[in-house]
Amino acid sequence: MLNPQRVGTQRLSKLLALSLILPGSAYAVELATPVAPHNYVQVTGPEADSVVLPPVNDREAPVSAGTVDWSSLNNQSVLSTRTLCADAVSKVCFKPQIEQAYAENKFYPIWHDKALRDEFELQLKAVADTKMLPGLAQRISEMDKLESEHNDQAYDLLATDTYYVYRAFQNYIATHRNVLFLSKPVQMSRVMKDYATGVDAYPMSMGKLEQFRPGYISFKPTMEMIAKFQSLPAHTLKASDFTRVYRKGDTMPHGHELVKVLYTLGDMDQAHYEHLSHQAKITNTGAVFESLKAFQKRHGLASDGIIGSATVQQLVMPYNEIARRLALNTLRVATLNKHAEGRPHIWVNIPNYKLEVYDKGNVVFESKVIVGRDTRPTNLFSSSITTMVVNPYWNVPITIKQHDVIPKVKRNISYLKQHNMQILNSWRDRTVINPTSINWSAVNPKTFPHEFQQGPGPHNSLGRVKFLMPNDYAIFLHDTPARGLFSKTKRDLSSGCVRVERAYDLANYVIDYQNRGNIPPFKKMLDAEKQKTISLSKRIDVDFVYLTAWVDHDGMVQMREDIYGYDSPNPKPIKNKFITMKDFKH
């Protein structure tokens, strides 16, 4: 029985269909019961998609104590539950939580508003498109079916259950962010309920739902682009179609399919595409050459119009794989640490070889960077710059000591003098050891007990300035004397630390941000040629991120090479130490 004071006379059947209360043990609704008008019910037109309900506190409680009516869902096929939560004993994963939510909502529907449903399903699709949560895509299909059948009551119940699933997944990812780089589905069906602790579907509002959107990106345009690529028929280009490097003027193999791909991806306009479609053969000239350059620029490749292996790898990527990578990177963005609007923070996007400083949502500084090669990746983590060192000494890390320095000294002892290096007894006891006192022919790089240190100067491997931050990996930002390396397009060349092209400008930015009169000008410290350490009272947060696909502010899809193999299954297991995503800020 429904409380007769709940609803107005218009659209009574709509509200009855949405009713979720079951008094006693029978679903008892008297359609002929007179219903008194109430001014808090707003119904607009006979084709309205939603009913505006009063605030919960203004709603009257049911006439009698009741429970949720599950009959509308019990006769539906809900196969997704078996995959999402293997231990479930009903059609849903979170039955007790659902019943509690509706009791708190006084048994009104939770998802009565169409805008709310659309936002929720868009966020669900963002996760489903990553293929990381088995069963979610099937669950969305089941919800769509119920909505198309106008089974509003069953839809509401299943959507509420799916909300708990969604939030449990978000909570799992927040504490297991490394799974975003392992390229395999998350198996959490056995622990699903553990990660829904504290989640509450009541009260539900657009504001509450929107806070779960990924920040830092244009969410709806990204989802529209994903949908576009998912709807495209597959192209037929394969890597084996390109047997050599194709330069300007060369005839292109499978040229018409290549042109079609460039047009579909937005790198060639329609007029040129239609003209080229009627050509007997396609050569790498004119519109084709320029379109290839545009394609390469969007993919962070050398924009030279030459088709080599790196360009081929991106050209032949299936459209549905582009969609998956966009979704995967959207999820990665969603898990990044949120930053206070009032202070700047740094992003180092490793596959993009770029450092950017954001302030109030805008990029105020950027620089090319050099990152770790695939055998010594730059770790993914968050921290804050706490110290800046001008004219630094370089304490040689153990990996470089063992793999680089000792083998070179064993071949030529003068290597140390040439590179302004000295041998220290240990990091604790910095007594200088004479290199001639060591029998280098008997040295084992893995057991060598001493340490190497390089003095300040223009040839120091850290350049003239470094930026330190707390972390477990000895990773920091620094200058470099090897300036020519920044002219390369592919810059995964370091041993883990990140070299910054505009390190001097970054140093000046950091000093200006401190706004302290007791810090000397950077150039004055530089010219002194002595090590100077500055502790920062105003720290700048830093995130080392791995984003390979996104939609930019112009609505263009940007793709980057998956240099560490985090986007696709990797034959070599990824070491967890590189993808901890730990937060060292304090």
Side-chain angles (χ1 to χ4, degrees):
M1 181 179 295
L2 290 174
N3 187 331
Q5 297 300 317
R6 281 189 185 172
V7 297
T9 54
Q10 299 183 57
R11 298 290 303 278
L12 172 60
S13 60
K14 177 72 173 180
L15 285 177
L16 292 178
L18 288 172
S19 173
L20 291 159
I21 181 172
L22 178 62
S25 60
Y27 183 71
V29 176
E30 182 58 56
L31 291 179
T33 301
V35 180
H38 203 298
N39 60 12
Y40 60 46
V41 175
Q42 303 174 33
V43 182
T44 56
E47 300 302 322
D49 288 320
S50 62
V51 177
V52 179
L53 300 177
V56 172
N57 291 338
D58 293 343
R59 302 176 194 170
E60 299 182 31
V63 170
S64 60
T67 58
V68 170
D69 176 12
W70 292 95
S71 61
S72 61
L73 193 59
N74 286 339
N75 59 5
Q76 298 291 325
S77 175
V78 187
L79 301 178
S80 60
T81 303
R82 301 175 188 173
T83 306
L84 290 168
C85 41
D87 294 334
V89 294
S90 66
K91 289 289 181 77
V92 295
C93 299
F94 294 95
K95 188 172 182 179
Q97 291 92 329
I98 292 170
E99 292 181 336
Q100 178 66 25
Y102 284 112
E104 292 174 342
N105 204 40
K106 297 184 180 178
F107 296 98
Y108 280 87
I110 291 175
W111 304 96
H112 63 90
D113 185 73
K114 187 176 187 303
L116 200 66
R117 297 195 302 271
D118 290 346
E119 172 67 24
F120 181 44
E121 292 192 13
L122 195 66
Q123 291 188 32
L124 290 178
K125 192 174 185 300
V127 174
D129 290 342
T130 67
K131 306 186 188 307
M132 287 190 63
L133 184 58
L136 184 59
Q138 186 178 26
R139 173 63 68 88
I140 294 172
S141 296
E142 292 163 350
M143 290 169 57
D144 289 344
K145 178 176 179 291
L146 293 173
E147 188 171 30
S148 67
E149 294 172 350
H150 303 290
N151 191 341
D152 300 317
Q153 192 178 60
Y155 175 91
D156 216 85
L157 290 166
L158 198 59
T160 303
D161 184 59
T162 310
Y163 175 77
Y164 285 105
V165 169
Y166 174 52
R167 296 289 292 117
F169 177 74
Q170 286 185 318
N171 290 338
Y172 181 88
I173 292 296
T175 54
H176 298 77
R177 291 190 288 182
N178 62 312
V179 302
L180 296 171
F181 307 95
L182 297 175
S183 304
K184 59 184 180 182
V186 174
Q187 299 298 334
M188 60 177 298
S189 63
R190 299 286 180 186
V191 297
M192 179 69 73
K193 293 182 180 179
D194 297 341
Y195 286 89
T197 302
V199 171
D200 200 340
Y202 166 82
M204 182 55 64
S205 66
M206 184 64 79
K208 177 179 181 177
L209 204 54
E210 285 181 339
Q211 71 180 344
F212 304 129
R213 276 186 171 201
Y216 307 120
I217 65 168
S218 301
F219 180 55
K220 279 193 174 180
T222 300
M223 294 307 299
E224 289 168 0
M225 194 63 73
I226 290 171
K228 170 190 172 182
F229 281 110
Q230 288 176 331
S231 67
L232 291 172
H235 66 71
T236 60
L237 280 184
K238 304 183 299 296
S240 58
D241 295 337
F242 301 90
T243 57
R244 59 180 179 84
V245 174
Y246 297 87
R247 304 182 182 278
K248 188 173 183 179
D250 288 348
T251 299
M252 306 303 299
H254 302 271
H256 290 94
E257 184 67 5
L258 170 66
V259 165
K260 185 178 179 181
V261 168
L262 291 171
Y263 168 67
T264 302
L265 293 175
D267 298 304
M268 178 179 288
D269 63 37
Q270 185 173 355
H272 284 116
Y273 169 64
E274 291 178 351
H275 173 73
L276 289 164
S277 297
H278 296 93
Q279 302 299 308
K281 65 178 182 178
I282 304 296
T283 58
N284 190 8
T285 55
V288 176
F289 184 73
E290 294 303 320
S291 295
L292 281 169
K293 288 168 64 177
F295 173 88
Q296 290 168 328
K297 184 176 180 180
R298 274 197 314 107
H299 288 75
L301 302 169
S303 184
D304 55 13
I306 299 172
I307 300 182
S309 59
T311 299
V312 168
Q313 182 182 15
Q314 300 295 332
L315 273 172
V316 302
M317 187 179 294
Y319 297 137
N320 60 2
E321 176 62 9
I322 296 175
R324 185 188 71 85
R325 294 196 185 198
L326 279 169
L328 175 62
N329 282 274
T330 297
L331 189 57
R332 288 173 179 169
V333 169
T335 63
L336 293 175
N337 299 306
K338 299 297 186 289
H339 296 276
E341 285 295 318
R343 72 189 224 187
H345 70 273
I346 294 173
W347 264 20
V348 178
N349 186 4
I350 293 167
N352 196 29
Y353 308 118
K354 182 179 282 189
L355 175 153
E356 295 173 306
V357 179
Y358 286 84
D359 192 4
K360 298 181 176 63
N362 299 312
V363 177
V364 296
F365 176 90
E366 62 181 44
S367 174
K368 292 179 179 180
V369 296
I370 293 168
V371 301
R373 50 190 177 272
D374 59 358
T375 54
R376 302 184 196 177
T378 298
N379 299 69
L380 306 182
F381 66 96
S382 298
S383 191
S384 299
I385 298 176
T386 58
T387 307
M388 185 174 80
V389 182
V390 183
N391 295 316
Y393 284 87
W394 179 43
N395 297 329
V396 179
I398 186 170
T399 52
I400 297 178
K401 178 179 81 170
Q402 293 177 352
H403 298 156
D404 297 327
V405 175
I406 292 177
K408 290 175 181 177
V409 176
K410 284 168 69 70
R411 289 194 294 270
N412 181 6
I413 196 171
S414 62
Y415 174 88
L416 294 174
K417 184 176 181 180
Q418 292 169 0
H419 290 81
N420 192 24
M421 283 187 180
Q422 58 185 0
I423 303 173
L424 305 180
N425 189 44
S426 69
W427 295 131
R428 194 178 287 269
D429 172 13
R430 301 206 170 200
T431 302
V432 177
I433 305 294
N434 189 330
T436 60
S437 67
I438 298 171
N439 180 9
W440 291 102
S441 62
V443 167
N444 183 336
K446 292 186 177 181
T447 59
F448 188 70
H450 308 303
E451 306 295 346
F452 294 89
Q453 185 181 69
Q454 187 179 40
H459 303 295
N460 185 287
S461 292
L462 303 182
R464 304 296 297 276
V465 62
K466 67 178 178 179
F467 308 87
L468 304 180
M469 61 203 71
N471 66 89
D472 291 342
Y473 321 111
I475 297 292
F476 50 87
L477 305 172
H478 66 91
D479 182 29
T480 177
R483 313 298 300 172
L485 295 178
F486 289 108
S487 64
K488 293 180 176 289
T489 303
K490 185 176 170 63
R491 295 191 296 276
D492 49 338
L493 305 167
S494 83
S495 297
C497 287
V498 174
R499 308 174 197 172
V500 182
E501 182 182 39
R502 296 179 58 196
Y504 289 12
D505 293 332
L506 181 59
N508 280 310
Y509 179 89
V510 169
I511 292 172
D512 289 344
Y513 179 63
Q514 300 308 299
N515 194 25
R516 284 164 43 196
N518 62 342
I519 301 179
F522 175 67
K523 188 176 187 307
K524 183 177 180 179
M525 291 187 284
L526 204 63
D527 291 344
E529 297 187 353
K530 293 181 179 180
Q531 179 169 291
K532 175 72 173 178
T533 301
I534 302 100
S535 295
L536 307 181
S537 55
K538 296 171 67 176
R539 299 173 180 181
I540 301 177
D541 294 342
V542 184
D543 294 301
F544 293 87
V545 302
Y546 194 90
L547 302 175
T548 55
W550 65 92
V551 177
D552 65 22
H553 293 299
D554 296 323
M556 299 293 290
V557 174
Q558 296 289 328
M559 304 283 292
R560 296 296 181 268
E561 182 186 1
D562 179 21
I563 57 176
Y564 295 163
Y566 293 168
D567 287 355
S568 300
N570 196 325
K572 296 180 180 179
I574 299 167
K575 294 181 180 179
N576 281 334
K577 69 177 183 178
F578 295 116
I579 52 174
T580 59
M581 294 289 288
K582 288 176 65 176
D583 191 349
F584 297 93
K585 295 193 299 292
H586 49 229

